[in-house]
Amino acid sequence: MNENERGDQSEGGSGSGSGVGWHARALTRMQNDSKSAAALSSFDPGANDLVFLLCVQSKGAGDGFACALLCNDDTTTLTAAGAGEGNEENVNRDNKPGEAQSHHHLRHVVAVDAFGRVLELSKEDYEVFEREIRDVKELPKLQEFMGQWRVKRPITCLPFYKVDIFPGRRKSSSSSSSSKRVEEGEEREDKVTATVYGWNANTDELERETVGRTRLPGSLQRLIGLGMEGRDGYNRTIERDEEVIGKVMALGGLQ
């Protein structure tokens, strides 16, 4: 992402509390933790793990992949005898070894950047993404302008920034064949898509009033800004991990 796109991200603040800088922090963790980096190298996402996908669409730009967020969010029953490393604090010390404990929520969140690097997010950074995603999902669906939010810019032929938000699997109590479709990720709740023409971190003024708004909603402005960190340092002359990006795009139904 170039400086004109980035701006100073002042609306959302700076530092880990706003999520700004998550990409640099995740890269630092990867470089300093060889064990974690090795584990992430065997990236194999499930059909319902994709949460967020950002693509920058412009003529001749290929798929425009910028960033994706994936979350493996399972509820597991732990036992005192079988608690894994790092889970000890979640075990009820009053129970005897081997006894089933209460359900424990296990969450593993990764981002894939424009290079195809798989990066582990901190809890704090994921919560920022989660908040903005939740707010974007509540925005009204646009019927005008081909469903686009259009930012007012002095130049034309700018990229489209396409945000896709995926809800994960739909719970179902129907037949086994239907349950299988859910397991394969084919039966999902509707995803939410928001497209912004001419996004820029330094301006949110719209070309014209849209659903009663004259400015791009702050949640969408900030979410795209966070996603664009995934393109830091990237240009099309640099080799990327096509296998990893291909897996993500396939999950999003884009390949």
Side-chain angles (χ1 to χ4, degrees):
M1 176 168 62
N2 63 43
E3 291 301 317
N4 289 331
E5 287 177 318
R6 177 192 294 283
D8 59 11
Q9 293 289 312
S10 58
E11 181 182 357
S14 61
S16 60
S18 67
V20 175
W22 68 265
H23 186 253
R25 289 189 290 275
L27 280 175
T28 299
R29 278 193 298 274
M30 181 180 72
Q31 293 161 359
N32 294 338
D33 187 349
S34 58
K35 182 178 178 181
S36 176
L40 292 173
S41 66
S42 58
F43 178 67
D44 188 22
N48 300 287
D49 293 348
L50 185 59
V51 175
F52 163 77
L53 177 63
L54 174 66
C55 294
V56 183
Q57 301 173 330
S58 60
K59 188 175 181 180
D63 57 39
F65 179 83
C67 178
L69 201 65
L70 300 100
C71 178
N72 187 296
D73 208 358
D74 293 324
T75 300
T76 305
T77 300
L78 292 181
T79 63
E85 183 180 353
N87 289 329
E88 290 85 352
E89 64 183 12
N90 299 297
V91 177
N92 184 346
R93 300 298 182 186
D94 295 331
N95 287 14
K96 297 177 181 179
E99 288 184 351
Q101 310 299 303
S102 59
H103 289 291
H104 170 58
H105 208 55
L106 297 173
R107 172 173 284 179
H108 184 63
V109 183
V110 299
V112 177
D113 69 8
F115 293 91
R117 294 177 297 205
V118 183
L119 306 170
E120 191 165 18
L121 261 67
S122 70
K123 177 178 180 289
E124 293 76 15
D125 285 336
Y126 178 67
E127 286 175 349
V128 175
F129 268 101
E130 200 171 34
R131 181 180 66 239
E132 304 297 1
I133 286 170
R134 182 173 60 249
D135 290 347
V136 168
K137 287 172 68 175
E138 297 302 316
L139 293 175
K141 292 184 179 180
L142 302 187
Q143 304 299 325
E144 50 190 339
F145 315 132
M146 298 181 290
Q148 302 163 4
W149 300 88
R150 297 182 66 88
V151 176
K152 185 177 181 180
R153 301 289 296 279
I155 54 178
T156 59
C157 301
L158 293 168
F160 293 87
Y161 295 76
K162 182 172 178 282
V163 170
D164 286 314
I165 297 172
F166 301 86
R169 70 181 57 183
R170 175 186 298 163
K171 293 181 180 180
S172 172
S173 58
S174 55
S175 67
S176 59
S177 60
S178 176
S179 298
K180 183 179 180 181
R181 287 198 301 274
V182 172
E183 189 65 28
E184 293 173 350
E186 295 177 4
E187 185 180 322
R188 301 170 68 104
E189 297 174 359
D190 292 338
K191 71 177 180 181
V192 172
T193 297
T195 303
V196 179
Y197 170 76
W199 178 87
N200 184 283
N202 290 321
T203 181
D204 60 1
E205 184 181 357
L206 298 174
E207 286 183 356
R208 64 192 74 181
E209 185 174 313
T210 306
V211 293
R213 297 173 181 263
T214 58
R215 296 190 177 278
L216 188 67
S219 55
L220 187 53
Q221 174 85 349
R222 292 188 294 272
L223 182 58
I224 293 177
L226 290 171
M228 286 300 290
E229 288 194 29
R231 286 178 73 92
D232 282 352
Y234 177 76
N235 67 67
R236 294 188 65 200
T237 66
I238 301 175
E239 185 177 357
R240 64 181 193 171
D241 192 323
E242 296 292 347
E243 181 180 357
V244 167
I245 292 174
K247 287 180 180 179
V248 173
M249 297 294 276
L251 291 178
L254 301 176
Q255 193 175 73

